[in-house]
Amino acid sequence: MAGDGTGEVWCVVVAAGSGSRFGGPKHLAELRGRTVLQRSIDVARRCADGVVVVVAPGSDVGVDGADVVVAGGDSRSTSVSNGLAAVPAGAEVVLVHDAARPLASGSLFARVVEAVRDGADAAVPVVTVVDTIRDLDGGTVDRDRLRAVQTPQGFRAAALRAVHARGAEATDDAALVEADGGTVALVEGERANLKITEPADLDVAAALLDRAAASGGDSAS
Ligand code: CTP
Ligand code: MG
């Protein structure tokens, strides 16, 4: 259980990737007046007591509102570990968020925190898969049995620290906690919470922001 439900929530925002598919450091790309990274930090700031931002070693990134900035590593797991090491020992819930997902809403963050406070070792936002998925060994996969995983992911701090203390490597921290016997709660993700991966994703994100602004929506903040 996550204690008495009042312990601090810290968010690790990972931004130490090279953006090879994007063609450069995508977290520094401008998205309607703020960088992708700054948007991710801003929502984390509103939803967590403290924010650790993980940037590429030697990079000189402008970061407003971070409590701590640390250098990442060659893999996402190493970047998460380095960020986690900077989270205060007393934190009860740790969120891990990809800087590359600038449109996650505050309500999504809140749902993830709540699932951990309710007793899950890990909580992950998921969305249904809309494409038909082909298995390279032949045949199609039943997409009703599949979910696409997003961030922020949330963890009971001790559960995340335990898997990282062993130096486990995976693109998905919840999978590590699950392999360790932990419980993983699925929470409803958001279709608009796309991960900026290729340049065209930035255009989609800008269009989503414009649409939300026109309708007074919450993810336009
Ligand atoms: N990330 C990180 N450290 C790494 C690799 C990734 O902090 N060594 C972060 C990225 O900055 C990003 C998030 O993890 O916010 C998700 O990774 P991804 O979308 O794959 O970003 P990149 O690894 O930068 O992109 P690519 O795989 O195209 O090189
Ligand atoms: Mg990557």
Coordinates of all heavy atoms in Angstrom, one line a residue, residues 6 9 39 41 60 62 65 68 71 74 76 88 111 144 147 158 169 175 187 193 200 212 218:
T6 N -0.8 10.3 1.8 CA -0.4 11.8 1.8 C 1.0 12.0 1.5 O 1.5 13.2 1.5 CB -0.7 12.4 3.2 OG1 0.0 11.7 4.1 CG2 -2.2 12.3 3.5
V9 N 4.6 13.2 -4.0 CA 4.6 12.7 -5.3 C 5.8 13.4 -6.1 O 5.8 14.6 -6.1 CB 3.3 12.9 -6.1 CG1 3.4 12.4 -7.5 CG2 2.1 12.2 -5.4
R39 N 6.6 22.1 -21.9 CA 5.2 21.7 -21.7 C 5.1 20.5 -20.8 O 4.2 20.4 -19.9 CB 4.5 21.4 -23.1 CG 4.2 22.6 -23.9 CD 3.5 22.3 -25.2 NE 3.0 23.5 -25.8 CZ 1.9 24.2 -25.5 NH1 1.1 23.7 -24.6 NH2 1.6 25.3 -26.1
I41 N 7.3 19.5 -18.5 CA 7.6 19.9 -17.2 C 6.5 20.7 -16.5 O 6.1 20.5 -15.4 CB 8.9 20.8 -17.2 CG1 10.1 20.0 -17.6 CG2 9.1 21.5 -15.8 CD1 11.3 20.9 -17.9
D60 N 23.0 21.9 -22.7 CA 22.7 23.1 -22.0 C 21.3 23.5 -22.3 O 21.0 24.3 -23.2 CB 23.7 24.2 -22.5 CG 23.5 25.5 -21.8 OD1 22.9 25.5 -20.7 OD2 23.9 26.5 -22.3
G62 N 17.5 24.8 -21.4 CA 16.8 25.8 -20.6 C 15.6 25.0 -19.9 O 14.8 24.4 -20.6
G65 N 11.3 25.6 -13.8 CA 10.4 24.9 -12.9 C 10.8 23.5 -12.4 O 10.1 22.8 -11.7
V68 N 15.3 19.7 -9.7 CA 16.6 19.1 -9.9 C 16.8 18.8 -11.4 O 15.9 18.3 -12.0 CB 16.8 17.7 -9.1 CG1 18.3 17.3 -9.0 CG2 16.2 17.8 -7.7
A71 N 22.0 14.4 -15.3 CA 22.4 13.9 -16.6 C 21.9 12.5 -16.8 O 21.9 11.7 -15.8 CB 23.9 13.9 -16.8
D74 N 22.9 6.3 -21.7 CA 22.7 5.8 -23.1 C 21.4 5.1 -23.3 O 20.9 5.1 -24.5 CB 23.8 4.7 -23.4 CG 25.2 5.4 -23.6 OD1 25.2 6.6 -23.8 OD2 26.2 4.7 -23.5
R76 N 17.2 4.5 -22.0 CA 16.1 5.2 -21.3 C 16.2 4.7 -19.8 O 16.0 5.5 -18.9 CB 14.8 4.9 -21.9 CG 13.6 5.6 -21.2 CD 12.3 5.3 -21.9 NE 11.1 6.0 -21.3 CZ 10.5 5.6 -20.2 NH1 11.0 4.5 -19.5 NH2 9.5 6.3 -19.7
P88 N 13.9 12.5 -3.6 CA 14.2 12.4 -2.1 C 13.7 11.1 -1.6 O 12.7 10.5 -2.0 CB 13.3 13.6 -1.5 CG 13.2 14.5 -2.7 CD 13.2 13.7 -3.9
R111 N -5.1 10.6 -12.3 CA -5.6 9.2 -12.4 C -4.5 8.2 -12.0 O -4.7 7.2 -11.3 CB -6.2 8.8 -13.7 CG -7.5 9.4 -14.0 CD -8.2 8.6 -15.2 NE -7.6 8.8 -16.5 CZ -7.7 9.9 -17.3 NH1 -8.4 10.9 -16.8 NH2 -7.2 9.9 -18.5
D144 N -8.1 -6.7 -29.8 CA -8.9 -6.5 -28.6 C -8.1 -6.9 -27.3 O -8.4 -6.5 -26.2 CB -10.1 -7.4 -28.7 CG -11.1 -6.8 -29.7 OD1 -10.9 -5.7 -30.1 OD2 -12.0 -7.5 -30.1
R147 N -3.1 -3.4 -25.8 CA -3.2 -2.0 -25.4 C -1.9 -1.3 -25.6 O -0.9 -1.9 -25.4 CB -3.6 -1.8 -23.9 CG -5.0 -2.3 -23.5 CD -6.1 -1.5 -24.2 NE -7.5 -2.0 -23.8 CZ -8.1 -3.0 -24.5 NH1 -7.6 -3.5 -25.5 NH2 -9.3 -3.4 -24.1
A158 N 9.2 2.6 -3.5 CA 10.0 1.5 -3.1 C 10.1 0.4 -4.2 O 11.1 -0.2 -4.5 CB 9.6 0.9 -1.8
E169 N 17.0 -3.5 -17.3 CA 16.9 -2.7 -18.5 C 15.6 -3.0 -19.2 O 15.3 -4.2 -19.5 CB 18.0 -3.0 -19.5 CG 19.4 -2.3 -19.1 CD 19.5 -0.9 -19.5 OE1 18.8 -0.5 -20.5 OE2 20.2 -0.1 -18.8
A175 N 6.8 -2.9 -16.7 CA 7.1 -4.3 -17.1 C 8.2 -4.9 -16.1 O 8.1 -6.0 -15.7 CB 7.6 -4.4 -18.5
V187 N -4.8 2.3 -16.2 CA -5.7 3.4 -16.2 C -6.0 3.9 -17.6 O -5.1 3.7 -18.5 CB -5.2 4.6 -15.2 CG1 -4.8 4.0 -13.9 CG2 -4.1 5.3 -15.8
N193 N -2.6 12.0 -26.2 CA -1.3 12.0 -25.5 C -0.2 11.3 -26.3 O 0.3 10.3 -26.0 CB -1.4 11.3 -24.1 CG -0.1 11.2 -23.3 OD1 0.8 12.0 -23.6 ND2 -0.1 10.3 -22.4
A200 N 6.4 14.8 -38.3 CA 5.0 15.1 -38.5 C 4.2 15.0 -37.2 O 3.1 15.6 -37.1 CB 4.5 14.0 -39.5
A212 N -8.0 22.2 -29.1 CA -8.4 22.3 -27.6 C -8.6 23.7 -27.2 O -9.5 24.1 -26.5 CB -7.3 21.6 -26.8
D218 N -8.8 21.4 -21.7 CA -7.8 21.4 -20.6 C -6.4 21.1 -21.1 O -5.4 21.6 -20.6 CB -8.3 20.4 -19.5 CG -7.3 19.5 -18.8 OD1 -6.6 20.0 -18.0 OD2 -7.3 18.3 -19.1

